[in-house]
Amino acid sequence: MSDPTTDPTPDPSTDPSTVERAFAAALYAGTDTALDTGASLLAADPGADAELTRRGEEFLAAAWRRGWQPADVVRYVRRELDETHVRLVSALVLGEAGGRPAPHPRWAAQLAELAEQAGAPVPRTDRFSRATAVLELYRLLLTLPALEPLDPPRRAASSASAAGSSSTSGSGSNSRMLARIRALLAKAEATGYPQEAEALSAKAQELMARHSIDEAVLASGGTAARDGGGDAPGACRIGVDPPYETAKAVLLDAVASANRCRAVWHEEFGFSTVVGFEADLEVVELLHTSLLVQATAAMTAAEAAQRAGGRRRTKTFRQSFLAAYAHRMGDRLAAAVREQTAEAAGEGGRDLLPVLAARDVAVTEHLERMFPKTVTTRLRGVSDEAGWHQGTAAADRARVERHRPLR
């Protein structure tokens, strides 16, 4: 009879799995040799694939608890790794989501967009290469820090009694309004005529400003808003992608400020957190995306004209162009919103200005709770005079002009 205290036979139930051994070798050591060791273990054991995927979904669940959302993770992976890892993490996110309901509509929209962009599956390759890519991805997921949590968006009560009016304003009318804004901005992006783009952008901003005012009036009359269950400031994250991230972040800040929101740029993660009321956050996303498209098209045309004149354009030209565009566009958008607000207040809405002021205070307080410490970023690389003048001119051509208020 053998002595149990000296029996060398291991207990199979206590043996670490292939995935555990691969993780121990590769995830917590930053060397290529360690990565190769872990990938070799995984490549040699096809039976470990299911557990490997399950552990990746656990890493994602931990990221959600730390305040990340699907679009944030995919954006960060794209920033730090390559397209193979983006496809891997996209499939992992969609698999982890499964068939359960999304926590809120913005989350669901991110998953839907991710499913549309997923396209072809990860190309088949040898098991060692795939295991290496998976371990590189998991290494990155392990390093994700905690982010400021984003509260689910809340909207004002939509009943006629809450608004104190015989009209109604619900999710249906809101969707129709946003659809009209999207259509106008899409036409502005597609047209090759600056005057037409200017008119379409002006109409879109007019609708945005009026939409924001109507939402503010609606929220101010609702009992749900007063007891904390209605409209309240929230936040969303909007990607700020390379190149020229600083100038793009400045443009987003200008669009956010003009639409009664505040933006905080997280350079290391490739996004800005925008704080505001949900109706305003939606139009900030729409307008910022459209203006980026229009600014890029204008910059490309300006560069072509410069090249035709015998001058080569540089990175400094493009940075200066986008910075000037953002600066001028912020002034134009703010002026348009002031005009709309003044007209709305002059049409019998004498209580409108205190309502808007109260919302501005609420947004500022929410921002300070989320980010008690912020620093100002200097815009560097803006030294090309031609780029600055061309960018200013492009913003002037896309300026928002005064129109009669729409009902």
Side-chain angles (χ1 to χ4, degrees):
M1 177 181 293
S2 62
D3 183 354
T5 62
T6 59
D7 190 350
T9 304
D11 181 357
S13 65
T14 64
D15 286 349
S17 67
T18 299
V19 172
E20 288 289 354
R21 289 185 289 125
F23 283 3
L27 290 193
Y28 309 104
T31 65
D32 291 339
T33 301
L35 191 67
D36 290 346
T37 300
S40 297
L41 290 169
L42 294 173
D45 186 3
D49 292 353
E51 182 185 354
L52 185 64
T53 299
R54 178 179 60 79
R55 295 297 297 274
E57 292 177 352
E58 291 175 357
F59 290 147
L60 285 179
W64 308 152
R65 292 192 295 271
R66 293 198 294 270
W68 290 73
Q69 295 188 358
D72 306 327
V73 170
V74 174
R75 186 186 303 113
Y76 189 58
V77 170
R78 177 175 284 111
R79 187 181 183 91
E80 297 296 321
L81 298 174
D82 59 30
E83 192 59 32
T84 297
H85 302 90
V86 171
R87 292 185 179 183
L88 284 171
V89 77
S90 298
L92 196 64
V93 168
L94 293 173
E96 193 273 340
R100 70 175 185 273
H104 51 75
R106 196 178 296 278
W107 190 292
Q110 293 177 22
L111 292 176
E113 183 176 359
L114 191 58
E116 291 177 2
Q117 296 174 349
V122 179
R124 296 185 64 85
T125 183
D126 62 275
R127 288 187 56 81
F128 178 81
S129 297
R130 187 180 188 283
T132 300
V134 170
L135 290 174
E136 289 171 336
L137 172 62
Y138 289 4
R139 270 184 177 180
L140 185 65
L141 295 180
L142 275 174
T143 67
L144 296 179
L147 297 178
E148 297 77 10
L150 303 182
D151 297 329
R154 293 192 290 173
R155 188 175 295 281
S158 59
S159 66
S161 60
S165 168
S166 59
S167 63
T168 61
S169 175
S171 59
S173 61
N174 179 66
S175 298
R176 288 192 296 272
M177 176 69 77
L178 291 177
R180 292 181 63 190
I181 293 171
R182 287 191 182 96
L184 288 168
L185 293 176
K187 291 180 180 178
E189 296 164 18
T191 182
Y193 300 98
Q195 293 83 0
E196 183 181 7
E198 174 186 331
L200 292 167
S201 297
K203 185 71 72 175
Q205 179 58 61
E206 179 183 322
L207 284 174
M208 290 176 183
R210 196 71 193 197
H211 176 55
S212 176
I213 292 170
D214 289 344
E215 288 281 335
V217 172
L218 178 67
S220 68
T223 57
R226 289 194 294 271
D227 64 19
D231 202 17
C236 69
R237 300 187 184 112
I238 298 178
V240 181
D241 299 319
Y244 318 116
E245 299 100 314
T246 305
K248 292 176 181 178
V250 170
L251 177 61
L252 176 55
D253 182 75
V255 173
S257 298
N259 287 279
R260 299 189 174 89
C261 297
R262 301 281 298 279
V264 175
W265 183 32
H266 309 261
E267 182 176 6
E268 66 274 28
F269 300 131
F271 61 74
S272 285
T273 300
V274 183
V275 179
F277 287 84
E278 179 61 19
D280 299 328
L281 294 176
E282 289 172 328
V283 298
V284 166
E285 289 186 273
L286 289 174
L287 185 56
H288 176 250
T289 301
S290 178
L291 289 179
L292 271 182
V293 172
Q294 296 184 54
T296 301
M299 182 177 66
T300 301
E303 285 189 300
Q306 292 290 327
R307 285 194 299 271
R311 296 186 61 190
R312 293 184 60 187
R313 292 298 92 203
T314 64
K315 178 179 179 180
T316 305
F317 172 87
R318 294 186 285 270
Q319 179 86 346
S320 300
F321 183 101
L322 291 175
Y325 186 95
H327 178 75
R328 178 70 86 186
M329 186 56 66
D331 291 342
R332 297 296 185 183
L333 293 175
V337 172
R338 285 195 299 269
E339 290 179 357
Q340 281 290 315
T341 303
E343 288 195 357
E347 295 174 356
R350 60 184 180 180
D351 295 331
L352 174 62
L353 296 182
V355 168
L356 296 179
R359 287 167 76 88
D360 289 341
V361 170
V363 169
T364 300
E365 291 177 346
H366 193 82
L367 177 83
E368 292 174 348
R369 285 195 298 270
M370 289 186 68
F371 306 103
K373 295 181 180 180
T374 58
V375 296
T376 302
T377 298
R378 294 184 60 187
L379 185 57
R380 297 179 175 84
V382 183
S383 57
D384 190 298
E385 183 177 0
W388 182 269
H389 288 309
Q390 292 277 2
T392 300
D396 282 339
R397 288 193 298 271
R399 68 185 182 275
V400 180
E401 293 186 338
R402 183 175 181 274
H403 293 267
R404 290 183 58 81
L406 298 184
R407 300 299 179 216

